[in-house]
Amino acid sequence: MSVRRPRPTAPALDYYLVDPRPTGDRWDAPPEGIVVEEFLFGVDHTVLRVDSAAWTPGEPGWWTSPALSRNIRADPELRGRVVGVPRHRAEVVYRQLGGAALPDEATLRGHLRAGDTRAASAPLLLSPERVTPGFHSTRTYRVLFANELAPDDLVQLAAVWPMTCPDPSRSDGVIGTARRRVGADAFRWDLRRIGMVGAYCLDLTVDLATGRDDGVRPVLRELTTTLRLRGLIPVTVERFS
């Protein structure tokens, strides 16, 4: 199995704070722990597995559970208390909860435990392969997310990317679309709601100018992180073409 790890030059792990269950009228209690995750990818940028570890005040170091990441995504009550944060926020909370300095990412990786491994497979071809004229190849990726976006989050996304919002009567579930050129490659993504509540997907279409796909992973990472820091929890990345 071929695995591609993120480059160590920038934060590559995902950080989450776990809020306590609210009791009575108190909603401002400090987080009860920190979860760190790493998505491991195949050579075609699809997810092979998610590794994770957690830390809670008073416990002797980091602990791991192969079911941790699964439970975060499957249990609505737990998922509602898990908040995606950048590394610098996790560092502040770690110190506040008595953990001194948050270990660097190389050290944290030593605490991660492998989650469920997903079998590598060929792309799921939903339609005959179509290459955008003028490009070498065209790919479509889908990033699945759990949780909900607040109305304010959608407004911010529309400004950050920037994202256009289609006519709801013709959107087929798409709530926003954005485009970008990176060098000679073209990227277009649709943010789509799946079902009525608690699930979204980001469909990324990539037009590659050459046989190289070096730009795919950084764009997937950036878009996934943007949504993670606005409340969505990434589940997996699939390739459709």
Side-chain angles (χ1 to χ4, degrees), residues 161-163 174 176-181 187-191 202-205 219 222-223 227:
W161 274 341
M163 186 172 68
V174 175
T177 298
R179 301 173 185 270
R180 178 184 302 170
R181 292 296 291 253
F187 297 82
R188 174 186 180 274
W189 58 94
D190 296 322
L191 179 62
L202 186 85
D203 291 337
L204 174 66
T205 299
V219 172
E222 177 194 339
L223 300 181
L227 290 172

Side-chain angles (χ1 to χ4, degrees), residues 8-155:
T9 54
L13 303 181
D14 292 342
Y15 298 85
Y16 297 91
L17 305 181
V18 181
D19 291 332
R21 293 180 178 85
T23 57
D25 296 329
R26 187 176 183 186
W27 292 82
D28 59 348
E32 65 179 20
I34 298 172
V35 174
V36 179
E37 291 186 339
E38 180 177 33
F39 279 70
L40 297 185
F41 294 84
V43 294
D44 67 343
H45 312 294
T46 57
V47 170
L48 297 179
R49 72 172 192 259
V50 184
D51 297 347
S52 62
W55 176 86
T56 49
E59 295 291 331
W62 293 78
W63 58 270
T64 58
S65 166
L68 177 61
S69 293
R70 235 179 12 252
N71 291 341
I72 287 174
R73 289 154 177 86
D75 182 346
E77 190 278 331
L78 175 59
R79 188 169 66 238
R81 296 188 289 116
V82 174
V83 181
V85 295
R87 178 180 165 89
H88 64 79
R89 174 60 181 157
E91 290 173 332
V92 170
V93 172
Y94 192 73
R95 287 195 300 269
Q96 290 175 340
L97 296 180
L102 184 68
D104 61 32
E105 297 208 323
T107 302
L108 286 174
R109 273 199 188 90
H111 299 295
L112 298 180
R113 181 168 178 178
D116 294 332
T117 300
R118 298 151 196 203
S121 61
L124 175 61
L125 300 179
L126 300 182
S127 61
E129 183 177 2
R130 298 177 181 176
V131 178
T132 302
F135 289 90
H136 176 273
S137 62
T138 298
R139 299 180 183 179
T140 301
Y141 291 90
R142 170 165 286 184
V143 188
L144 295 174
F145 295 90
N147 242 3
E148 276 296 324
L149 286 170
D152 287 349
D153 293 320
L154 292 174
V155 172

Side-chain angles (χ1 to χ4, degrees), residues 190-219:
D190 296 322
L191 179 62
R192 188 187 309 266
R193 179 185 288 278
I194 304 175
M196 296 299 295
V197 65
Y200 288 81
C201 70
L202 186 85
D203 291 337
L204 174 66
T205 299
V206 183
D207 292 320
L208 296 173
T210 68
R212 297 181 61 89
D213 65 355
D214 300 17
V216 173
R217 181 69 201 114
V219 172

